[in-house]
Amino acid sequence: MIVHRTAFRPGWWIAAALLIAAAWWGQPLLSGASFEHGFFGLFWYTMLALATVLWAVPAEQGWDGHMLYRRWRLLGLATLREQRHAPGEFTRIVLEHEAGVFGWHRVWLVFEGEHRFVFGHWRASASNLAWADALAKQLATATGIPIAEPGAEAG
């Protein structure tokens, strides 16, 4: 079993702390008597509610020995929705490198075939590139799907 999840990593907890801090910071918007305070308070807390829902339902991707899957889990614990894909739907595994606009380059581990299945993405540091490469090789061995040569055109 191979699993890539974002829940319970440090960034996930930092995002929770930022959401709590933003909720605390927005309290004065609710205490004002003017229409503007109420409007901006409603807008602020609506955006925080949306961000909290997105935070509270992280996705995880994995290989269970037979199928690739993506699960959306409430607080990383209870499965709400799951998609499953047979390895026969994909023809190759690709490590895509994306240049960031602000200098943060990313690497994406993608299964390609009739459609694309993103297994994971990381900031493209040397250690993360090695991690992504090792995970791609582990998935190729487990699924029998070949890894595309670097620079191969999408097909």
Side-chain angles (χ1 to χ4, degrees), residues 118-129:
V118 175
F119 194 85
H121 68 281
W122 303 266
R123 188 171 168 206
S125 65
S127 62
N128 284 344
L129 286 171

Side-chain angles (χ1 to χ4, degrees), residues 7-154:
F8 307 113
R9 290 186 171 183
W12 193 69
W13 291 110
I14 291 169
L18 290 174
L19 286 169
I20 292 168
W24 180 80
W25 184 82
Q27 286 178 346
L29 295 173
L30 297 178
S31 62
S34 69
F35 172 75
E36 289 83 9
H37 270 88
F39 176 77
F40 289 120
L42 178 65
F43 176 76
W44 183 258
Y45 283 100
T46 300
M47 294 298 105
L48 283 178
L50 176 62
T52 301
V53 168
L54 294 173
W55 171 84
V57 186
E60 73 176 30
Q61 293 73 236
W63 166 255
D64 64 6
H66 304 288
M67 303 279 277
L68 289 162
Y69 65 84
R70 176 173 289 127
R71 293 181 185 145
W72 287 269
R73 304 184 79 170
L74 181 61
L75 298 176
L77 302 170
T79 301
L80 299 176
R81 184 170 180 239
E82 182 174 344
Q83 289 179 340
R84 298 181 70 74
H85 301 281
E89 296 177 31
F90 305 102
T91 56
R92 65 188 191 160
I93 299 172
V94 177
L95 285 175
E96 294 181 355
H97 297 267
E98 174 188 27
V101 176
F102 300 107
W104 286 35
H105 302 293
R106 310 233 13 119
V107 61
W108 299 76
L109 194 155
V110 181
F111 286 82
E112 289 187 341
E114 293 178 21
H115 58 280
R116 294 167 49 92
F117 179 79
V118 175
F119 194 85
H121 68 281
W122 303 266
R123 188 171 168 206
S125 65
S127 62
N128 284 344
L129 286 171
W131 171 257
D133 188 51
L135 184 58
K137 288 176 182 172
Q138 187 180 8
L139 285 165
T141 302
T143 62
I145 301 171
I147 297 175
E149 293 297 321
E153 292 297 317

